Amino acid sequence: LLIATGVASIVVAALLGWWLAGRAMMPVRHAWQRQREFIADVSHELRTPLTVVQSNLDVALADQDSSIKDNIDWLQNAYSETENMGKLINNLLFIARIDAREIKFKHSEFNLSDLLTQLVSRFEPLFRSKNLIFTAAIAPEVLMHSDEVLIRQMVSIFLDNASKYTLAGGTVSLKMGCIQNVIEISVTDSGIGIDNSEKEKIFRRFYRIDKARSRKQGGTGLGLAIAAWIASEHRGQIQVFSKLGEGSAFKVHFPNSTTFNDPQTEIKYIG
Ligand code: ADP
């Protein structure tokens, strides 16, 4: 009986050890799995524009007698695909730096109102070229203590998306206010909207509701993943309000650790 009990406890201990080791390996296995999926996604995302570039150049080169002018459309297509690849590579490098924890924050106090006003001027030509009505309501003199470059990048992603997913004739508005020391930045559009079932998924890397549409607009599927990371690193929260066919609003709230000059938070309209 003593021997049987001894053997049984050794077996139980071995099984427990095996199970615990398996459990301990789980996060590592998940990380490998995520890594494999990411590499597969990246390869696919790079292969698609590369195929488009090659096929357009093939057509342009096929007819030896034609001039560059005759082939301008093919060359233009190839050029805009290389632009998209450039965007994708920049976003990939950024994501790689996030994963490697290589991004050094440059925290400073800056005037958020000025930063957003500059963004309005930068984006106005883009919205105009797409025949979209762009308005802004920015509270004056709101100071923020965070990484200015990253905050600019996050708002640019929302504005860029609004321009990509709103049909000509639609509206886009950028708003910022500060109430009870909480800063709210929102970008609202009257675009194609997002179904409820997609609202969380769109923040995943490479997730796109309509891949073809996103690609056509020069999307990389990484913008919102980057925006979500920037927001969370600044203790911010992103909310998405949307109705299919009616439009979307992306709102971010930041607890503000700095003061701001005008407690009345007067809303100023630009453009
Ligand atoms: P992309 O480069 O494809 O725009 P993002 O990560 O920025 O990638 O967004 C992910 C997906 O979320 C988009 O492909 C699109 O389907 C959806 N999306 C993002 N912003 C909007 C918006 N303002 N209106 C409708 N859909 C949007």
Side-chain angles (χ1 to χ4, degrees), residues 50-62:
L50 199 62
T51 312
V52 179
V53 172
Q54 272 176 340
S55 53
N56 277 282
L57 292 180
D58 278 348
V59 180
L61 291 169

Side-chain angles (χ1 to χ4, degrees), residues 91 157-166 187-189 191-195 198 201-211 213-215 217-227 240 242 244 247-250:
N91 281 346
I157 290 168
F158 295 136
L159 289 172
D160 193 43
N161 279 349
S163 83
K164 290 190 297 200
Y165 305 110
T166 307
V187 174
T188 309
D189 64 56
I192 59 174
I194 300 159
D195 192 71
E198 308 274 12
K201 297 184 199 157
I202 54 175
F203 291 95
R204 293 182 196 160
R205 295 174 181 186
F206 293 118
Y207 189 86
R208 285 168 282 189
I209 300 170
D210 181 342
K211 244 186 170 158
R213 180 177 213 135
S214 157
R215 268 190 50 70
Q217 301 286 343
T220 64
L222 293 173
L224 288 182
I226 292 174
V240 184
S242 187
L244 259 189
S248 311
F250 287 78

Side-chain angles (χ1 to χ4, degrees), residues 24-38:
M25 283 298 285
M26 258 308 230
V28 180
R29 243 182 262 138
H30 281 151
W32 280 340
Q33 174 70 12
R34 276 202 304 273
Q35 188 85 344
R36 266 204 301 273
E37 282 169 9
F38 187 64

Side-chain angles (χ1 to χ4, degrees), residues 9-19:
S9 28
I10 290 169
V11 171
V12 169
L15 283 174
L16 194 68
W18 178 73
W19 181 75

